[in-house]
Amino acid sequence: MILNQIALNPTVHYQNLAQHIQQQLPTLMIPVFKLDPTSASRAVEELPLDHEKSSEHIDLHTLVDYQPWLKRFYRQWQIALKQNFSQLTATNNLSEPDHWHPENTAKAMNALALSYTGKLIHLLKQDPITVVDRTTLLWRDTWQSFRHELELQQTKLPILQALDNTAHYFQQFWLESWLHIAELQSTLPSNPNRK
């Protein structure tokens, strides 16, 4: 007789998932921001405080419209998910942001990725860790390909910065989502179909 260890003890399984998300998943992601403080693309947490900005030269890029590029980035991610998870024929399209801002775009991209991974795990009964890793690697490849293409086209720096911010937000949302999912799943009973 073969026993399903996940059904017998889902808490241990999801503790393994949480541990994997915390320790291994970040190693599969790309470092979007360099640690060099002179880099044009720095994480928000590293930006100077208001009182430290007074002597800094600030370039404003208000004339650059990065929204079409963010929308294109979202579409590229959507295509990559559809092509790589083609066994999910009936995946509904989620609503897109009204305004293509880096944080909004990243949230939409995260929601799209969670939709696909959720269906793979719950409908097709695939291993959560494998699905999360596979999606993360797909994200990394899609992002690197898109970023490289824009660099070859000598895209303006503000557009690249907006895309880098989007990638940074996506990775943050992706990690937080899976940690939250693992935490929620650990509280479920062994048999979710039980009433």
Side-chain angles (χ1 to χ4, degrees):
M1 180 175 171
I2 299 172
L3 297 176
N4 182 342
Q5 293 298 320
I6 295 171
L8 291 175
N9 195 346
T11 302
V12 171
H13 171 71
Y14 285 104
Q15 284 173 347
N16 290 343
L17 176 61
Q19 184 179 8
H20 180 81
I21 299 302
Q22 288 174 324
Q23 295 174 0
Q24 300 300 318
L25 194 60
T27 66
L28 300 178
M29 293 182 168
I30 50 169
V32 177
F33 295 110
K34 298 176 181 71
L35 295 177
D36 178 6
T38 62
S39 170
S41 303
R42 289 185 292 173
V44 174
E45 293 82 17
E46 294 180 15
L47 291 175
L49 301 173
D50 286 341
H51 67 275
E52 296 171 334
K53 290 181 183 177
S54 57
S55 62
E56 269 190 23
H57 174 73
I58 299 173
D59 290 322
L60 295 178
H61 303 291
T62 55
L63 300 179
V64 177
D65 183 13
Y66 54 77
Q67 292 189 66
W69 297 95
L70 294 180
K71 190 172 185 177
R72 186 172 155 204
F73 184 27
Y74 176 85
R75 297 264 191 274
Q76 194 77 21
W77 179 230
Q78 191 176 41
I79 290 167
L81 288 167
K82 282 181 182 177
Q83 289 174 345
N84 283 270
F85 302 126
S86 57
Q87 66 268 43
L88 298 176
T89 53
T91 303
N92 296 331
N93 290 332
L94 300 172
S95 60
E96 296 181 357
D98 294 332
H99 180 69
W100 293 94
H101 180 271
E103 188 173 359
N104 293 348
T105 305
K107 283 180 183 175
M109 294 174 83
N110 185 53
L112 189 62
L114 288 171
S115 171
Y116 274 88
T117 55
K119 287 183 179 184
L120 289 168
I121 293 166
H122 296 291
L123 296 180
L124 301 181
K125 308 298 183 210
Q126 294 187 12
D127 174 56
I129 291 176
T130 305
V131 169
V132 171
D133 285 358
R134 185 174 165 203
T135 307
T136 304
L137 290 172
L138 177 62
W139 156 257
R140 186 179 71 188
D141 294 345
T142 303
W143 166 246
Q144 287 177 333
S145 173
F146 189 74
R147 185 74 159 77
H148 182 68
E149 179 186 327
L150 295 183
E151 287 173 353
L152 289 177
Q153 294 174 8
Q154 298 180 344
T155 307
K156 294 177 181 177
L157 182 61
I159 292 169
L160 294 177
Q161 287 174 328
L163 292 166
D164 287 348
N165 285 333
T166 304
H168 175 72
Y169 278 124
F170 173 84
Q171 292 184 170
Q172 179 183 332
F173 295 148
W174 184 243
L175 280 169
E176 289 172 0
S177 295
W178 281 104
L179 283 171
H180 188 62
I181 289 168
E183 183 182 318
L184 286 175
Q185 292 290 341
S186 71
T187 65
L188 293 177
S190 294
N191 184 0
N193 295 325
R194 185 175 59 196
K195 301 228 175 180

